[in-house]
Amino acid sequence: MQVTLLGHGRLGSAIAEGWRLTGTVPCPTVLTRAVPPVCPPDTRALVIAVKPAAWRGAVAPVLATLPADATVISVMAGVRAADLSAALPGRAVARVMPTTAVAQAQGVAAIWSDDTAARALAHALFDPVADTVDLDEESLIDAATAVAGSAPAFFYALAQALAQAGVEVGLTLDAAERLARGALRSAGSGAGTHASLDDLIARIASPGGTTRAGLDALKDFDLDAAGRAAVQAAVARARALAGDQPA
Ligand SMILES: NC(=O)c1ccc[n+]([C@@H]2O[C@H](COP(=O)([O-])OP(=O)(O)OC[C@H]3O[C@@H](n4cnc5c(N)ncnc54)[C@H](OP(=O)(O)O)[C@@H]3O)[C@@H](O)[C@H]2O)c1
């Protein structure tokens, strides 16, 4: 399938890498600022992976060569399908919210479209590189952005805090960071299984043990409130980017 990828930054390059790794799209046409914005005539999908603030300027010059029956797949946070449809008239639109682990074919990606064929095409492109989650309403993409697209950074921030705390109880910075990163990798491999999150916690936290003591201490700081604050702020930012609310 001929796919044109507009934008080759952190996410765009991760998507291209995952496609190459899995053979999904071995040779996508990659449009960057450095190459003329020309789509091959047999382009079936235009995947837009530029920053939300840059998309109108990036899409305008591509329009002249984008086939009328191509599907537009946006991985941008906070850009509404209606705005994409208005800028790219006649093309069906799907929105996908992936994580950069698509590069290793281990991402997660929320998918929404009100067009059945566009949704199917989004699945064809992202099922090989991600655990794909279908959404019923476009507005839920903002929630998926917060809970998945942005969330790896929230876990890194927690790992940083744990490493810092490790330094305070005597570890060197290097040892603490390596241990915290290793813990994050271990948590990630557990998350890759089918066990529930409760089971994964129970496997490590034996009653009366060290992990249970740490989890009990975390309760004093209301982890639910911290998660809620991060998710709500990310959702609010996605809405502001879309122009629903003041930024
Ligand atoms: N990073 C993530 O984990 C993640 C997760 C979910 C969704 N997203 C979404 O993915 C999109 C891209 O994010 P990112 O983190 O990959 O940003 P990024 O690293 O800044 O990449 C954006 C890319 O778009 C390029 N670009 C800008 N204008 C262009 C144009 N006119 N023609 C062609 N390319 C152009 C930029 O090139 P220059 O460097 O030359 O400006 C840059 O390489 C965003 O909309 C974001 O909401 C990202």
Side-chain angles (χ1 to χ4, degrees), residues 8-11 31-33 49-52 58 75-77 97-98 100:
H8 199 243
R10 280 162 297 187
L11 184 58
L31 300 183
T32 67
R33 275 188 227 265
V50 299
K51 288 283 190 194
V75 297
M76 297 181 289
M97 188 47 57
T100 49

Side-chain angles (χ1 to χ4, degrees), residues 103-174:
Q104 295 82 33
Q106 288 179 357
V108 63
I111 293 181
W112 174 85
S113 179
D114 60 4
D115 181 286
T116 309
R119 196 183 274 261
L121 191 56
H123 272 285
L125 291 176
F126 285 90
D127 285 358
V129 294
D131 178 14
T132 48
V133 178
D134 271 297
L135 301 180
D136 293 335
E137 290 173 29
E138 182 181 5
S139 62
L140 294 175
I141 284 277
D142 295 338
T145 304
V147 177
S150 303
F154 304 157
F155 289 116
Y156 298 144
L158 182 59
Q160 250 173 355
L162 294 175
Q164 182 54 41
V167 169
E168 285 165 20
V169 292
L171 293 167
T172 64
L173 182 60
D174 177 60

Side-chain angles (χ1 to χ4, degrees), residues 77 142-143 145-147 150-151 154 228-241:
D142 295 338
T145 304
V147 177
S150 303
F154 304 157
R228 196 177 304 122
V231 165
Q232 289 182 353
V235 168
R237 183 67 189 142
R239 290 182 183 156
L241 285 170

